[in-house]
Amino acid sequence: MTKFPLHLSSLIAFLKKWPGVGSKTAERYAFHLLGWDEDELEKLADLLQNIKKKISSCSECHALMEEGRCRYCDLSLRDSHVLCVIASPKDLFALEETRIFKGLYHVLGTLLSPLQSRNPQALKTDQLKLRVERLGVQEIIIALDSTLEGDATALYLKKELETLPGLKVSRLAFGLPLNSTLDFIDGGTLVKALTGRQSL
Amino acid sequence: MTKFPLHLSSLIAFLKKWPGVGSKTAERYAFHLLGWDEDELEKLADLLQNIKKKISSCSECHALMEEGRCRYCDLSLRDSHVLCVIASPKDLFALEETRIFKGLYHVLGTLLSPLQSRNPQALKTDQLKLRVERLGVQEIIIALDSTLEGDATALYLKKELETLPGLKVSRLAFGLPLNSTLDFIDGGTLVKALTGRQSL
């Protein structure tokens, strides 16, 4: 039984496919959209229709790019001695926000996950190794999530990249997040912060 | 500064207009949509473009309707002796789900709110009174939110409808929600449940 008008039910079904959106939230969004002006709806529809045309993936670093050239692969702007390995195109923007990293990026697109049978082949480390050699990269910064999948992938990458001579491999530091209070920090983080303590 | 590609930023700006959606959620949705197939995006865009064409508002009860006729105003299916006053078209579906109400509806579209300068004129009670007289309604059930605005509107409606002879005006009962434990119920609800206690 569709309790809502059919068109609205179809819209709700589509919105429910979004991450973290359940029935109630999808209904809320759909009813909200009912109140929008026709031309606003038109503009939103237009944006959705053109995502794939306007935004593509760089064949070199796999970051998002517009208009045929990747600004993160431009060697006149970026330092090719350091390369940062990230899991998804979105992570790039978080790192760019810091404004302290000027090197190159390499988007893996996935993380190792034996449970979901994502195997090392999916990481395409051959491509990464070829880039490192071709560009003369001296340091690789592994900037992956501090999760089980992130840890597994980082360890695997380290083993793979060790075969390249003279390459330094580092990973983002673990420890206390800024503005945190010790009594609210989980034990695992505290252990990492203790063992990785930095001299003052 | 737009940190994301322009097209993605525009999409995020649109998604941020949705209720309860902040920057982080809008970004999450936008990146999720990047991974959709072209034809799925096309279908979603199509649904958005056609909302206004497919779904309109009944000129009689102001509920949502499809295809030119309102199924909630059909007197062969509904009991015209009882009329339920609700705030928004969405509330209708919550009441229909209960399957115990077979009367007519009247959607106010808004609630009184002195703070947001929504005055009694916005409620268009004249329209409501005309309907009550024309249809020979015997009971009005006020089914508004149990909020400050809902209470104010219910009181105002009661005063307005009192002028109509022989009309019974009731409101949804206040009290404990089902499956609640007393120690988690707020004081206000408990007071309502006590004063409105029902004989067993």
Side-chain angles (χ1 to χ4, degrees):
Chain A
M1 197 196 85
T2 46
K3 66 173 183 171
F4 298 119
L6 190 67
H7 191 86
L8 209 58
S9 296
S10 315
L11 179 59
I12 289 167
F14 264 91
L15 295 175
K16 267 170 73 177
K17 295 183 190 172
W18 294 16
V21 177
S23 298
K24 286 280 171 191
T25 308
E27 288 170 15
R28 194 173 171 209
Y29 290 164
F31 275 91
H32 174 77
L33 287 167
L34 266 179
W36 275 24
D37 293 337
E38 187 116 21
D39 65 316
E40 277 214 309
L41 287 166
E42 195 68 48
K43 275 183 209 153
L44 177 55
D46 188 63
L47 284 166
L48 291 171
Q49 281 167 323
N50 291 307
I51 287 178
K52 298 276 177 181
K53 277 168 222 129
K54 294 276 187 179
I55 300 168
S56 54
S57 177
C58 170
S59 60
E60 176 82 9
C61 71
H62 307 295
L64 299 183
M65 68 175 191
E66 304 175 285
E67 293 153 20
R69 47 172 283 283
C70 175
R71 61 167 128 163
Y72 307 107
C73 283
D74 185 341
L75 294 183
S76 67
L77 296 171
R78 316 285 310 191
D79 174 8
S80 66
H81 293 102
V82 199
L83 187 146
C84 186
V85 176
I86 51 180
S88 86
K90 201 181 171 191
D91 298 336
L92 183 151
F93 301 103
L95 287 161
E96 283 293 291
E97 280 275 276
T98 66
R99 297 181 193 209
I100 62 161
F101 181 72
K102 299 290 175 200
L104 301 171
Y105 288 100
H106 190 90
V107 181
L108 292 176
T110 185
L111 290 174
L112 288 185
S113 171
L115 283 178
Q116 291 174 54
S117 62
R118 286 198 301 263
N119 296 319
Q121 287 76 27
L123 299 177
K124 294 182 188 139
T125 40
D126 290 344
Q127 276 188 23
L128 173 59
K129 283 198 241 176
L130 278 176
R131 275 193 83 197
V132 167
E133 283 175 340
R134 184 161 38 80
L135 294 161
V137 172
Q138 288 163 6
E139 180 178 358
I140 285 207
I141 303 174
I142 298 180
L144 301 177
D145 297 342
S146 56
T147 58
L148 206 66
E149 284 88 356
D151 288 351
T153 313
L155 275 175
Y156 176 79
L157 285 180
K158 183 178 173 263
K159 238 177 65 187
E160 282 286 306
L161 295 167
E162 266 174 354
T163 57
L164 298 174
L167 181 70
K168 192 179 157 193
V169 180
S170 60
R171 192 175 175 193
L172 293 187
F174 290 108
L176 309 181
L178 241 59
N179 299 319
S180 56
T181 56
L182 276 198
D183 51 345
F184 272 94
I185 294 291
D186 66 295
T189 303
L190 214 49
V191 167
K192 287 279 189 188
L194 263 173
T195 51
R197 62 192 176 277
Q198 290 138 3
S199 60
L200 261 179
Chain B
M1 198 197 85
T2 45
K3 67 174 183 171
F4 298 118
L6 191 67
H7 191 86
L8 210 58
S9 296
S10 313
L11 178 60
I12 289 167
F14 265 92
L15 296 175
K16 268 171 72 178
K17 295 183 191 173
W18 293 16
V21 176
S23 298
K24 286 281 171 191
T25 310
E27 288 169 14
R28 194 174 170 209
Y29 291 164
F31 274 91
H32 174 77
L33 286 168
L34 266 179
W36 276 23
D37 293 338
E38 188 117 20
D39 65 316
E40 277 216 309
L41 287 166
E42 195 68 50
K43 274 184 210 152
L44 177 54
D46 188 62
L47 284 167
L48 291 172
Q49 280 167 323
N50 291 309
I51 287 179
K52 298 277 177 180
K53 278 168 222 130
K54 293 277 186 180
I55 300 167
S56 53
S57 177
C58 171
S59 60
E60 176 82 8
C61 71
H62 307 294
L64 299 183
M65 67 175 194
E66 304 175 284
E67 294 155 20
R69 45 172 285 283
C70 175
R71 61 167 127 161
Y72 306 107
C73 283
D74 186 340
L75 295 182
S76 67
L77 295 171
R78 316 287 307 193
D79 174 8
S80 66
H81 294 104
V82 200
L83 186 145
C84 187
V85 177
I86 50 179
S88 86
K90 200 181 171 190
D91 298 335
L92 183 150
F93 300 104
L95 287 161
E96 283 295 292
E97 280 275 277
T98 66
R99 296 182 194 207
I100 63 161
F101 181 72
K102 298 290 174 204
L104 301 172
Y105 288 100
H106 190 88
V107 181
L108 293 176
T110 184
L111 291 174
L112 289 185
S113 171
L115 284 177
Q116 291 174 56
S117 61
R118 286 198 301 263
N119 296 319
Q121 286 77 27
L123 298 177
K124 296 185 189 137
T125 41
D126 290 344
Q127 277 188 23
L128 173 58
K129 283 198 244 176
L130 278 175
R131 276 192 82 198
V132 168
E133 284 175 339
R134 183 163 39 80
L135 294 162
V137 172
Q138 288 164 6
E139 180 178 356
I140 285 206
I141 302 174
I142 299 180
L144 301 178
D145 298 342
S146 57
T147 58
L148 206 66
E149 284 87 357
D151 289 351
T153 312
L155 277 176
Y156 176 80
L157 286 180
K158 185 180 171 258
K159 238 177 67 187
E160 283 286 305
L161 296 166
E162 266 174 355
T163 58
L164 298 174
L167 181 70
K168 192 178 156 194
V169 181
S170 59
R171 193 175 176 191
L172 293 187
F174 290 108
L176 309 181
L178 241 60
N179 299 319
S180 56
T181 55
L182 276 198
D183 51 346
F184 272 94
I185 294 292
D186 66 296
T189 302
L190 214 49
V191 167
K192 288 278 191 190
L194 263 173
T195 52
R197 62 190 175 277
Q198 291 139 3
S199 61
L200 260 180

